[in-house]
């Protein structure tokens, strides 16, 4: 199939892109597929858009191709250096990987947004990718044109890219949870937060960028939600893993969205700051949204390097675990409610997010259920978020929402959503909305899914409780802080929403009446049977058998 400008359907695009993974299958580990395929998608897309720009300039300026290329070089944002151009690379028959690596380096040099994104992918490793395999991949990617003229909408390639991310997450199983949050969960969080035109959205563990993309889509659908065809929202994020960060940046790029995405450990070194060193403070945002890694261990790296060692009574050398509560010092003052234990980073992420929310902002975070009821330092933090301390206010928790089990790739345990709000309405002061949505989902073979009606139910119940303090039996309640205090600030949803079904009452007289009817029917059957036995001369045998059975039962 030759390069064509026929409009691609999303289904055809997805199928074609996924087929590239099948070309690689068996040659390299499936967990590595995504990096190479995403890199080639970008390279083809970037080149095709460049060629469209050149063609457009030739027509508009009535100039030669060379002159159009020079114009794009001087003024455009899609210039592709000569040795990074698709036609040059696809003609290579050897050292193809090195040519692709050089192309990525050249493109990065011209595009600061892409710095470090493309060169994070190494095609030149011949032990993994030989020339034969790369030539097959390039021929496959040469089948379709990925410029804007070939797509029904500008961010259609972004939608196909998200489809691939999900497919790779499915392929990776539990490891998929490290970079991908199922889309229905993302849609739920965005609808609950309801970002508005002109606002800022921040994800401190942005993974593949799905929550930022969905936030932009949500805003774009609202009145005044777009400016010059782009969502009227500013997007920010930070991600620790290099490969995941690169995938996320490409995801936003292929959706024609711009975002300030930094790479680094958000807990130890948050990178979205304001002011000048050493007096820098955390930047704050209208909406903060995240699905951080569940119960991350040894999460404060400065305390985990060069651990002290001691010799136990058996003469074995053991590392001494650091004392987080005593020795952890956060220069940004984010852990004001308390320092979470070494084995559970959940409430460290919550406190970082809360510190990153504007005074009139809101945040939503996916967490394991343990944060709702674990004691110790986590119990102290939870209490502080609810009733405050002598130094900082409480009443920060707007809602606690229980989700079904097995929604995520990396765990089968049920999760919850916490919504925190720095400026709750008067009707919700000293109250918390509880929603038990754990029983409504589509059951899957390996993984359950939130359906559209499940998301609607959660959203509508939350809105009704938020606006009118309305409740729904066995599903949602608005609970006074005093009741929560009486439960020692335990937020376990089962303490506040009783979903048990009452045992059916047994009508003893009615049951006895039914037994009496059955007994009479049995007597009639016995009489009829005895008549038949009598005709056959077996009456005495029948009577003796019945008598024997009767005696056995009595004994």
């Amino acid at each position: 199939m030759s390069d064509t400008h026929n409009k691609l359907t999303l289904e055809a695009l997805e199928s074609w892109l996924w087929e590239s993974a099948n070309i690689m299958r068996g040659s390299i580990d499936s967990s590595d597929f995504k990096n190479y395929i995403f890199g080639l998608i970008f390279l083809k897309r970037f080149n095709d858009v460049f060629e469209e720009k050149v063609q457009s300039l030739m027509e508009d300026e009535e100039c030669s191709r060379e002159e159009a290329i020079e114009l794009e070089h001087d003024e455009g944002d899609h210039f592709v250096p000569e040795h990074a151009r698709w036609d040059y690379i696809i003609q290579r028959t050897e050292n193809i990987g090195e040519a692709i690596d050089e192309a990525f380096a050249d493109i990065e040099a011209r595009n600061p947004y892409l710095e470090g994104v493309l060169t994070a992918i190494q095609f030149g490793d011949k032990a993994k990718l030989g020339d034969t395999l790369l030539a097959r991949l390039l021929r496959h990617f040469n089948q379709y044109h990925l410029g804007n003229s070939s797509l029904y909408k500008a961010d259609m390639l972004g939608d196909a890219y998200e489809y691939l991310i999900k497919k790779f997450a499915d392929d990776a199983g539990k490891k998929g949870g490290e970079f991908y949050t199922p889309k229905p969960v993302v849609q739920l969080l965005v609808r609950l937060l309801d970002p508005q035109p002109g606002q800022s959205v921040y994800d401190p563990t942005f993974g593949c960028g799905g929550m930022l993309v969905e936030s932009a889509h949500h805003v774009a659908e609202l009145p005044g939600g777009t400016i010059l065809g782009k969502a009227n929202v500013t997007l920010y994020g930070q991600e620790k893993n290099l490969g995941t960060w690169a995938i996320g940046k490409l995801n936003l790029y292929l959706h024609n969205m711009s975002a300030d995405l930094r790479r680094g450990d958000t807990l130890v070194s948050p990178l979205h700051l304001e002011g000048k060193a050493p007096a820098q403070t955390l930047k704050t945002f209208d909406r903060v949204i995240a699905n951080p890694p569940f119960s991350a261990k040894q999460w404060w790296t400065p305390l985990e390097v060069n651990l002290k060692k001691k010799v136990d009574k058996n003469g074995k050398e053991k590392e001494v675990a650091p004392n987080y509560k005593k020795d952890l010092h956060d220069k940004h003052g984010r852990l004001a409610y308390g320092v979470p234990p070494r084995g559970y980073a959940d409430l460290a992420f919550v406190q970082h997010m809360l510190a990153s929310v504007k005074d009139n902002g809101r945040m939503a975070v996916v967490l394991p259920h343990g944060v709702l009821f674990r004691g110790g330092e986590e119990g102290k933090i939870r209490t502080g978020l609810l009733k405050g301390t002598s130094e900082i206010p409480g009443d920060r928790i707007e809602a606690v929402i229980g989700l079904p089990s097995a929604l995520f790739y990396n765990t089968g345990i049920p999760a919850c959503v916490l919504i925190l709000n720095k400026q709750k309405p008067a009707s919700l002061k000293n109250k918390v909305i509880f929603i038990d949505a754990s029983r409504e989902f589509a059951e899957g073979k390996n993984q359950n899914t939130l359906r559209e009606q499940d998301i609607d139910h959660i959203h509508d119940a939350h809105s009704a409780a938020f606006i009118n303090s309305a409740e729904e039996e066995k599903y949602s309640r608005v609970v006074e802080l005093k009741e929560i205090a009486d439960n020692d600030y335990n937020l376990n949803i089962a303490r506040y929403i009783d979903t048990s079904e009452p045992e059916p009452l047994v009508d003893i007289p009615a049951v006895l009446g039914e037994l009496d009817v059955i007994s009479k029917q049995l007597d009639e059957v016995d009489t009829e049977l005895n008549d038949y036995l009598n005709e056959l001369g077996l009456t005495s045998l029948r009577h003796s058998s019945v008598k024997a059975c009767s005696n056995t039962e009595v004994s």
Side-chain angles (χ1 to χ4, degrees):
M1 189 186 298
S2 60
D3 199 329
T4 176
H5 282 252
N6 291 334
K7 296 278 187 184
L8 269 168
T9 65
L10 180 60
E11 184 179 13
L13 183 61
E14 290 173 346
S15 175
W16 171 60
L17 292 175
W18 180 242
E19 185 59 33
S20 61
N22 293 329
I23 291 173
M24 301 186 81
R25 205 173 296 280
S27 299
I28 63 171
D29 192 276
S30 62
S31 62
D32 292 331
F33 287 176
K34 59 184 183 300
N35 297 320
Y36 300 115
I37 290 170
F38 291 153
L40 289 177
I41 291 171
F42 168 82
L43 186 62
K44 184 68 163 66
R45 162 72 173 174
F46 201 77
N47 267 276
D48 288 348
V49 172
F50 167 71
E51 291 297 338
E52 281 185 337
K53 291 280 186 80
V54 170
Q55 190 64 38
S56 178
L57 284 169
M58 289 170 64
E59 294 170 3
D60 294 345
E61 303 296 329
E62 297 181 350
C63 63
S64 67
R65 175 177 170 81
E66 290 72 22
E67 290 170 326
I69 289 174
E70 191 64 31
L71 280 170
E72 181 64 19
H73 175 275
D74 295 338
E75 301 174 16
D77 56 2
H78 267 84
F79 178 75
V80 180
E82 185 174 355
H83 292 294
R85 291 176 196 163
W86 187 259
D87 286 345
Y88 171 81
I89 293 170
I90 201 166
Q91 290 171 12
R92 296 287 294 260
T93 57
E94 55 184 31
N95 298 325
I96 299 172
E98 289 90 331
I100 295 173
D101 288 342
E102 289 169 9
F104 283 158
D106 287 344
I107 292 172
E108 275 191 18
R110 281 275 307 184
N111 297 272
Y113 174 80
L114 296 169
E115 185 180 352
V117 174
L118 305 173
T119 48
I121 311 161
Q122 294 297 316
F123 280 81
D125 184 353
K126 288 193 174 182
K128 283 189 174 182
L129 294 170
D131 287 329
T132 303
L133 177 60
L134 282 174
R136 280 189 67 198
L137 277 173
L138 290 174
R139 285 197 299 272
H140 180 76
F141 276 97
N142 201 45
Q143 290 177 347
Y144 289 109
H145 186 270
L146 296 181
N148 292 325
S149 63
S150 300
L151 308 178
Y152 280 106
K153 58 176 184 173
D155 68 344
M156 191 172 97
L157 191 59
D159 293 342
Y161 187 86
E162 281 199 272
Y163 162 84
L164 276 186
I165 293 173
K166 182 189 183 305
K167 291 284 283 184
F168 285 126
D170 290 342
D171 226 34
K174 285 190 174 183
K175 285 189 175 181
E178 295 174 7
F179 59 87
Y180 180 76
T181 301
K183 192 163 187 176
V185 178
V186 174
Q187 292 171 328
L188 171 64
L189 263 66
V190 171
R191 285 191 67 188
L192 290 169
L193 278 188
D194 190 25
Q196 295 295 301
Q199 290 188 336
S200 56
V201 179
Y202 166 61
D203 183 345
T205 58
F206 75 82
C208 289
M211 293 203 184
L212 296 177
V213 169
E214 187 64 30
S215 296
H217 283 157
H218 176 88
V219 170
E221 295 296 319
L222 301 173
T226 59
I227 297 178
L228 298 175
K230 291 195 173 186
N232 181 16
V233 63
T234 50
L235 305 172
Y236 301 82
Q238 185 165 335
E239 171 58 42
K240 184 178 180 180
N241 181 279
L242 171 61
T244 305
W245 168 80
I247 291 170
K249 289 206 78 168
L250 288 181
N251 191 16
L252 272 291
Y253 173 83
L254 292 172
H255 275 98
N256 291 329
M257 297 174 184
S258 56
D260 181 352
L261 304 176
R262 311 286 180 90
R263 185 170 69 86
D265 187 329
T266 302
L267 292 181
V268 174
S269 182
L271 297 175
H272 290 93
L273 304 170
E274 294 181 318
K276 294 184 178 180
Q280 288 178 305
T281 58
L282 286 179
K283 186 175 179 64
T284 56
F285 310 91
D286 297 294
R287 298 288 186 267
V288 179
I289 187 170
N291 174 22
F294 284 4
S295 301
K297 304 184 186 313
Q298 302 175 20
W299 49 273
W300 193 263
T301 311
L303 292 181
E304 298 295 341
V305 295
N306 301 320
L307 291 178
K308 295 179 180 178
K309 296 182 179 180
K310 69 176 182 180
V311 178
D312 64 16
K313 60 183 180 182
N314 296 319
K316 291 185 178 180
E317 196 173 58
K318 295 179 67 176
E319 290 183 337
V320 179
N323 186 333
Y324 274 43
K325 186 174 180 180
K326 176 185 174 185
D327 297 327
L328 192 155
H329 302 289
D330 173 35
K331 66 181 180 180
H332 298 290
R334 293 167 294 171
L335 305 178
Y337 291 105
V339 177
R342 185 187 186 212
Y344 299 99
D346 308 301
L347 290 176
F349 282 110
V350 169
Q351 291 186 86
H352 166 77
M353 292 173 71
L354 185 61
S356 302
V357 174
K358 289 182 178 179
D359 287 341
N360 61 348
R362 297 168 67 231
M363 58 166 274
V365 57
V366 182
L367 298 165
H369 265 257
V371 300
L372 303 178
F373 53 79
R374 287 194 294 252
E377 197 66 16
E378 289 183 291
K380 175 190 165 187
I381 296 168
R382 198 168 54 244
T383 300
L385 289 168
L386 289 161
K387 79 168 188 175
T389 70
S390 58
E391 298 176 353
I392 46 177
D395 199 20
R396 296 307 199 197
I397 299 178
E398 174 188 306
V400 180
I401 302 168
L403 299 177
S405 60
L407 289 180
F408 301 92
Y409 290 94
N410 52 348
T411 178
I413 64 171
C416 66
V417 175
L418 280 191
I419 302 177
L420 274 65
N421 189 337
K422 282 190 174 178
Q423 200 174 88
K424 289 164 74 171
S427 60
L428 267 185
K429 295 287 185 186
N430 295 313
K431 296 175 185 176
V432 176
I433 300 167
F434 283 85
I435 297 175
D436 185 347
S438 61
R439 294 164 296 160
E440 297 181 355
F441 57 92
E443 190 171 354
K445 183 178 178 182
N446 299 315
Q447 191 178 355
N448 297 327
T449 308
L450 286 177
R451 301 162 298 186
E452 188 174 349
Q453 65 261 39
D454 304 328
I455 297 172
D456 288 342
H457 195 184
I458 296 169
H459 173 265
D460 294 347
H462 174 266
S463 294
F466 188 89
I467 298 168
N468 300 315
S469 295
E471 300 180 337
E472 182 180 335
E473 187 177 1
K474 297 186 182 299
Y475 191 79
S476 64
R477 274 192 69 204
V478 179
V479 180
E480 297 275 357
L481 191 57
K482 183 183 183 306
E483 182 178 343
I484 297 172
D486 290 342
N487 279 310
D488 293 324
Y489 297 98
N490 186 318
L491 294 176
N492 196 355
I493 298 168
R495 289 184 177 236
Y496 305 99
I497 299 179
D498 181 8
T499 59
S500 63
E501 296 294 336
E503 293 289 333
L505 294 174
V506 178
D507 187 340
I508 300 298
V511 171
L512 290 174
E514 289 176 9
L515 288 173
D516 188 48
V517 171
I518 292 169
S519 178
K520 288 176 181 177
Q521 291 173 338
L522 286 172
D523 286 343
E524 291 173 2
V525 171
D526 275 350
T527 300
E528 188 175 351
L529 182 59
N530 281 332
D531 289 342
Y532 288 128
L533 291 170
N534 192 41
E535 287 178 14
L536 296 169
L538 297 173
T539 306
S540 59
L541 176 62
R542 167 66 181 165
H543 285 162
S544 61
S545 298
V546 171
K547 187 175 181 182
C549 289
S550 176
N551 288 338
T552 302
E553 289 171 1
V554 170
S555 65

